[in-house]
Amino acid sequence: MSLAQIHEMFAQGVIDPQVVSEQDALAAATEAGLAAFVVDCDRARSRSAVLRAVVKAIDYPEFFGSNLDALYDCLCDTLADQKTGMFLWFRHLHSGDPALVEDAQAIQGVCNDVVEWGQNNERQFAFAIEHAGAHPAPEPGVEPVPYSGREE
């Protein structure tokens, strides 16, 4: 897929990760002058954990509220601060986890609302959600990797 085709997708607000790779989307975002952020959701098992991943990716302050209204407000504020716009790639959102099924849809809804806000405020917002199935079941006797990613 060409960068021009990806730029057309940016105009719609949603990038399909089954059609465009993360690397190509980030390169196209940079070329288009968009601030690009990767939200690593691989270890997130709850809405709160996904929101912490967003906070980490975009470097939001500690006082970020852990709810969808705060996510919308912060994304709109960050978008307003950008010259042209911004792009978010949600890597491995485990929307197949029972605890995340509805939250993944709600997060996508928030992102769609930010796309609309951007269009109404002369800013471009685009996002991709790379859906992953459910997390693998924990192995008996094996400690899970901490959310921070540190091996201890």
Side-chain angles (χ1 to χ4, degrees):
M1 176 166 282
S2 73
L3 290 178
Q5 290 171 313
I6 299 171
H7 288 180
E8 289 177 25
M9 292 176 126
F10 283 145
Q12 301 302 313
V14 180
I15 303 297
D16 184 349
Q18 294 180 352
V19 176
V20 180
S21 72
E22 177 181 341
Q23 182 179 6
D24 288 346
L26 294 172
T30 300
E31 182 182 280
L34 303 177
F37 304 95
V38 176
V39 180
D40 188 355
C41 301
D42 197 34
R43 291 187 183 97
R45 293 179 179 266
S46 66
R47 176 193 304 182
S48 174
V50 172
L51 294 177
R52 284 193 307 271
V54 172
V55 167
K56 182 176 180 181
I58 303 176
D59 197 26
Y60 283 140
E62 289 182 30
F63 57 83
F64 172 83
S66 289
N67 60 55
L68 296 175
D69 289 336
L71 175 63
Y72 174 81
D73 291 341
C74 285
L75 289 176
C76 289
D77 288 346
T78 302
L79 183 57
D81 290 342
Q82 304 306 313
K83 213 176 220 185
T84 306
M86 64 187 275
F87 171 67
L88 283 183
W89 181 280
F90 289 84
R91 182 188 295 152
H92 299 144
L93 179 60
H94 287 274
S95 51
D97 279 357
L100 285 174
V101 171
E102 289 179 17
D103 291 328
Q105 292 172 352
I107 289 166
Q108 184 168 347
V110 168
C111 289
N112 286 327
D113 291 345
V114 177
V115 168
E116 184 178 331
W117 185 93
Q119 291 168 343
N120 292 333
N121 290 278
E122 300 179 10
R123 294 288 187 277
Q124 187 172 26
F125 179 76
F127 68 98
I129 298 178
E130 183 184 355
H131 292 282
H135 280 97
E139 293 182 41
V142 177
E143 290 289 322
V145 175
Y147 181 73
S148 66
R150 293 188 328 254
E151 297 288 339
E152 296 180 2

